[in-house]
């Protein structure tokens, strides 16, 4: 149920705009599956099939696959799931944190160059107003004398 619910919250337009990220994620999943298939002679088919979702997924995949492996009596494979997930977090968290901080510093430096323009562009993006489109309330100010900009009232 959780997996289905997460899939229904995806914004398709944003996903299309982020096509490079989607392609890279798909490529990484395929590469990790191929590498796991190469590992079949070393750790066995069942272990590989249980480990693939853990490598490509996250906590939910680890929980599901550990429960399934334990239910089938594959305790070693279940333990491997937990080890894979732990090692991924141990290695990946510092790298992700460093990259996030680097990107945040870049955004702050970019914002500090011209804060007014950046804020106006952000507000226009949030409200869906573009520079060439005049909003309804702007066109009809004489009909709504007490009306204020809705973007300004949210700040």
């Amino acid at each position: 149920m959780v997996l289905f619910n997460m899939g229904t919250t995806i914004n398709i337009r944003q996903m299309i705009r982020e096509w490079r990220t989607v392609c890279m994620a798909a490529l990484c999943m395929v590469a990790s599956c191929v590498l796991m298939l190469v590992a079949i002679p070393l750790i066995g088919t069942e272990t590989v099939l249980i480990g693939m979702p853990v490598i490509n997924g996250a906590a939910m995949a680890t929980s599901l696959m550990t429960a399934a492996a334990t239910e089938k009596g594959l305790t070693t494979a279940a333990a491997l799931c937990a080890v894979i997930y732990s090692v991924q977090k141990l290695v990946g968290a510092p790298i992700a944190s460093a990259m996030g901080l680097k990107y945040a510093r870049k955004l702050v430096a970019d914002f500090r160059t011209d804060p007014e323009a950046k804020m106006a562009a952000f507000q226009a993006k949030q409200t869906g107003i573009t520079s060439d489109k005049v909003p309804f309330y702007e066109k009809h100010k004489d009909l709504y004398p007490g009306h204020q900009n809705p973007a300004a009232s949210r700040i």
Side-chain angles (χ1 to χ4, degrees):
M1 186 64 140
V2 172
L3 296 176
F4 178 75
N5 185 29
M6 288 174 66
T8 60
T9 60
I10 294 173
N11 183 343
I12 298 299
R13 287 189 183 113
Q14 183 178 5
M15 203 164 150
I16 291 169
R17 283 192 310 263
E18 298 289 335
W19 68 270
R20 289 179 192 95
T21 305
V22 173
C23 289
M24 182 57 84
L27 182 66
C28 288
M29 282 191 263
V30 169
S32 67
C33 288
V34 168
L35 287 174
M36 288 293 285
L37 290 174
V38 170
I40 285 177
L42 298 172
I43 59 177
T45 306
E46 294 87 11
T47 308
V48 166
L49 293 176
I50 290 170
M52 270 189 211
V54 175
I55 287 177
N56 291 316
M60 182 59 73
T62 303
S63 175
L64 290 171
M65 295 314 291
T66 302
T70 305
E71 185 179 304
K72 293 285 185 182
L74 302 168
T75 54
T76 305
L80 184 64
C81 287
V83 169
I84 289 171
Y85 182 70
S86 300
V87 169
Q88 274 185 326
K89 293 300 169 192
L90 181 70
V91 172
I95 296 169
S97 178
M99 294 298 115
L101 286 171
K102 181 179 178 181
Y103 185 65
R105 287 185 193 107
K106 178 183 169 250
L107 288 177
V108 169
D110 187 39
F111 178 79
R112 288 182 178 163
T113 58
D114 190 9
E116 290 82 18
K118 300 292 181 191
M119 215 43 210
F122 174 74
Q123 288 174 347
K125 185 177 178 183
Q126 291 295 100
T127 58
I129 300 169
T130 59
S131 59
D132 57 344
K133 181 180 175 185
V134 179
F136 181 83
Y137 67 88
E138 288 282 331
K139 285 185 203 174
H140 305 285
K141 282 184 181 178
D142 56 330
L143 298 175
Y144 303 100
H147 184 73
Q148 294 184 4
N149 182 345
S153 62
R154 277 189 253 158
I155 297 175

